[in-house]
């Protein structure tokens, strides 16, 4: 497929900074992959000097595959395509000594971080879940703003933030003591290093001579700063984004970063991609009219050459049960008439709680469905267990991992013994693993528990030595066998089938580890330490990503739908208080909710249905919600409200009957 004039302009402009404003469905990934090919082939830039960054592993993987198809393996060798966090991790690995870390550092995921914060604040917060979540979010926000504990002065903070700043300092010091980093450190640490060290900055600017950034509107302060420091004075970069699809302010994303670019790089060239290859003209016209109600720095108007298409329909239900029944009935009738598949339909909602009633009705009608954002592969108990063992193999100071598996499978080491081990570690100022080898352990523990703890410590040291010295794959295989995990699963699982499924997941994990240790044509072999860190990072980035392509109705939040497309979309719960959400109405932050509605509308390729209810149960009360203001902001000529819908003429009814009979015959396999 040839590039259109806007795409062509974006690909060929390489002499300075470039912002590509890519509307929904406008082929932005094609621009990035073609630009990489153009740099390598037409500008004689070796691929090893080019880096492309995005936000999810899935997007990075797709980009890598598409570049490999365009360029071929030889020309693509050395090209860096990764997420922001993987790029940060690679910089940290290369500059580990300058950052005051030891080479074998661990990565803490959000659950590890939460467990550590709970431990460090047990006296003050006493495990209060809401307070701990608020603290975790506050620390994350500080890190995203590049603020270290030493930058926070108690005098200038509110009393709540003052206490949180003290906890942040404790958390920071403990992570350093564990030789561990959390998710936000992967951006903050390299950014602060590049900012303060000119030698390191120049080194990375010469390593990355052209930088491409996808989904630029989702960058936060630290990611923007990292980009700015990597491109330097030469400013050879292309960022691709859409301010109308910035829906992650709660994660620190700043659409203002698009405006900052113009201030920091006055020679910035702006290229607009306005042709949409996804949706009908009517769907796009409605999306354009809606988003015009938001203030814009850059004006753009999407257009489509796919024909004007069907009216958008508004379905009104009595209550949420009726809403789910109406959606499923409409979906089944539509599928029957159109001869489509279940995977052609998506049900999009503002909050996860809305999915339950749809699940119930889909199940009772035996309709296959998939909820995106459900449990990730790495969220499964057996995978977390094996990952914890691997984490101890590469970093014995990882107390969280040790606590998870020292008695899994059961070794007769109870909570009391573990508490005693923890207390000894605190007294000695060392990790729990190191405390296992202290002569004083016998004063705290005795009998079977003492023998089991000491045996576990010796066994892990032996395995660790063997894994580091030689065959990591054989060591891991032997570890899983020696601990009797499979037998334990069959004893403790709800059914033999569940145990079998769990072992299949462990085999999948083992396969990934083997591939990464051995390397491939595109990727060099990794050490076990690198493999473990890469898998933890993959887990953090892939929660909710799923590769399943089977024939199922897709259920997901509007946030999770970004970047996807479906022939037929139901946007449910189009009511004031749901979309726009009540908290956004209270905070007067309607613009982001409107962007969220825009994202939902532009997921639909052929047909779009909205639903709302006359009454909804909320916190035990029945409320009568108003229709969403966004429905009234759409061009009413393009919308069919059920209440004003005209009845079909006899000719149209006859036509529909004939289509229905033809589809029924084809389903029954009759001529």
């Amino acid at each position: 497929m040839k590039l259109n004039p806007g795409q062509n302009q974006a690909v060929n402009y390489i002499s300075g900074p470039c912002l590509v404003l890519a509307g929904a469905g406008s082929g932005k990934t094609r621009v990035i992959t073609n630009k990489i090919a153009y740099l390598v082939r037409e500008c004689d830039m070796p691929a090893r000097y080019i880096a492309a960054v995005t936000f999810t592993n899935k997007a990075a993987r797709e980009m890598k595959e598409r570049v490999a198809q365009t360029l071929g393996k030889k020309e693509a060798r050395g090209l860096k395509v990764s997420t922001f966090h993987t790029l940060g991790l690679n910089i940290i690995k290369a500059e580990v000594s300058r950052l005051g870390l030891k080479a074998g550092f661990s990565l803490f995921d959000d659950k590890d971080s939460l467990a550590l914060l709970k431990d460090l604040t047990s006296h003050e917060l006493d495990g209060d879940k809401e307070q701990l979540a608020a603290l975790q979010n506050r620390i994350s926000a500080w890190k995203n703003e590049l603020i270290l504990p030493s930058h926070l002065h108690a005098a200038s903070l509110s009393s709540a933030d003052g206490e949180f700043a003290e906890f942040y300092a404790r958390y920071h010091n403990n992570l350093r003591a564990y030789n561990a980093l959390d998710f936000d450190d992967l951006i903050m640490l390299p950014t602060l290093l590049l900012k303060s060290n000119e030698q390191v900055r120049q080194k990375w600017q010469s390593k990355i001579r052209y930088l491409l950034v996808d989904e630029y509107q989702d960058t936060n302060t630290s990611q923007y700063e990292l980009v700015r420091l990597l491109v330097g004075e030469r400013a050879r970069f292309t960022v691709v984004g859409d301010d109308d699809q910035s829906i992650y302010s709660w994660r620190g994303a700043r659409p203002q970063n698009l405006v900052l670019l113009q201030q920091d790089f006055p020679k910035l060239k702006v290229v607009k991609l306005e042709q949409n290859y996804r949706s009908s003209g009517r769907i796009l016209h409605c999306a354009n009219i809606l988003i015009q109600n938001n203030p814009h720095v850059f004006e753009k108007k999407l257009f489509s050459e796919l024909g004007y298409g069907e009216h958008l329909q508004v379905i009104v239900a009595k209550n949420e049960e009726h809403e789910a029944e109406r959606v499923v009935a409409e979906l089944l009738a539509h599928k029957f008439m159109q001869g489509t598949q279940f995977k052609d339909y998506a049900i999009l909602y503002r909050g996860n709680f809305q999915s339950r009633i749809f699940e119930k009705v889909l199940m009772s009608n035996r309709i296959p469905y998939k909820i995106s954002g459900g449990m990730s592969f790495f969220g499964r108990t057996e995978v977390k267990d094996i990952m914890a063992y691997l984490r101890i193999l590469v970093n014995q100071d990882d107390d969280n991992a040790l606590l998870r598996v020292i008695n899994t499978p059961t070794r007769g080491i109870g909570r009391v013994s573990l508490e005693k081990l923890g207390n000894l570690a605190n007294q000695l100022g060392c990790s729990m693993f190191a405390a296992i080898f202290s002569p004083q352990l016998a004063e705290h523990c005795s009998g079977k528990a003492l023998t089991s703890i000491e045996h576990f410590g010796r066994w892990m040291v032996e395995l660790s030595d063997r894994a580091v010295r030689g065959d990591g794959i054989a060591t891991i295989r032997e570890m899983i066998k020696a601990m009797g995990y499979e037998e334990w699963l069959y004893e403790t699982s709800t059914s033999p089938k569940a145990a079998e499924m769990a072992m299949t997941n462990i085999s999948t994990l083992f396969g990934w580890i083997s591939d990464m240790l051995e390397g491939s044509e595109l990727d060099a072999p990794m050490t076990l330490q690198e493999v473990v860190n890469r898998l933890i990072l993959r887990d953090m980035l892939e929660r909710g990503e799923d590769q399943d392509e089977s024939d199922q109705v897709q259920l997901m939040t509007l946030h999770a739908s970004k970047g996807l497309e479906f022939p037929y979309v139901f946007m449910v719960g189009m009511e004031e208080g749901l979309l726009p959400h009540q908290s956004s109405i209270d905070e007067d932050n309607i613009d982001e909710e409107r962007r969220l509605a825009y994202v939902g509308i532009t997921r639909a390729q052929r047909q779009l249905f909205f639903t709302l209810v006359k009454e909804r149960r909320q916190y035990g009360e029945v409320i009568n919600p108003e229709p969403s203001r966004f429905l009234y902001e759409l061009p009413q000529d393009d919308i069919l409200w059920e209440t004003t819908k005209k009845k079909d003429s006899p000719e149209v009814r006859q036509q529909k009957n004939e289509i229905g009979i033809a589809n029924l015959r084809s389903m029954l396999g009759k001529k």
Side-chain angles (χ1 to χ4, degrees), residues 122 276 288 340:
S122 57
N276 171 290
N288 284 335
T340 52

Side-chain angles (χ1 to χ4, degrees), residues 437-450:
F437 300 95
S438 162
Q440 296 172 42
L441 181 63
E443 297 166 22
H444 293 71
C445 297
S446 60
K448 188 173 182 239
L450 175 64

Side-chain angles (χ1 to χ4, degrees), residues 7 15 45 73 135 145 151 153 165 199 253 275 285 299 342 348 414 442 445-446 484 500 514 547 605 608 631 643 662:
Q7 291 171 331
S15 55
M45 182 178 281
K73 283 178 183 158
L135 171 60
E145 295 290 326
H151 301 153
H153 302 293
Q199 193 186 348
Q275 182 170 356
H285 176 59
E299 290 296 334
F342 284 122
L348 309 181
C445 297
S446 60
E500 199 181 311
S514 303
Q547 298 302 303
Q605 293 169 297
L608 179 59
L631 289 174
T643 44

Side-chain angles (χ1 to χ4, degrees), residues 85-86 88-89 92 104-110 112-113 175 178-186 387 391 394-395 398 400-401 529-540:
H85 290 88
T86 306
L89 180 62
I92 291 168
F105 58 83
S106 279
L107 272 185
F108 271 32
D109 69 10
D110 48 4
D112 298 324
S113 297
L175 278 182
Y178 289 153
N179 195 36
L181 304 175
D182 68 16
F183 198 50
D184 297 312
D185 286 332
L186 298 182
M387 281 299 297
R391 282 163 56 173
V394 298
N395 177 8
D398 194 331
N400 281 349
Q529 173 72 59
E530 288 171 335
V531 169
V532 172
N533 279 343
R534 192 57 61 85
L535 288 174
I536 293 169
L537 185 54
R538 189 193 282 191
D539 171 27
M540 289 192 256

Side-chain angles (χ1 to χ4, degrees), residues 284-335:
L284 283 187
H285 176 59
C286 289
N288 284 335
I289 297 284
L290 176 75
I291 206 67
Q292 271 172 18
N293 292 293
N294 274 5
H296 283 89
V297 178
F298 306 102
E299 290 296 334
K300 68 175 184 316
K301 206 161 196 176
L302 297 183
F303 68 93
S304 169
E305 291 177 357
L306 299 175
Y308 203 56
E310 303 274 344
H311 279 81
L312 283 64
Q313 293 184 40
V314 181
I315 295 168
V316 183
K318 291 196 282 285
N319 53 34
E320 54 265 60
E321 283 86 2
H322 188 222
E323 178 184 39
E325 284 159 10
R326 290 289 316 271
V327 166
V328 170
E330 187 74 42
L331 189 155
L332 283 172
H334 190 276
K335 180 178 183 295

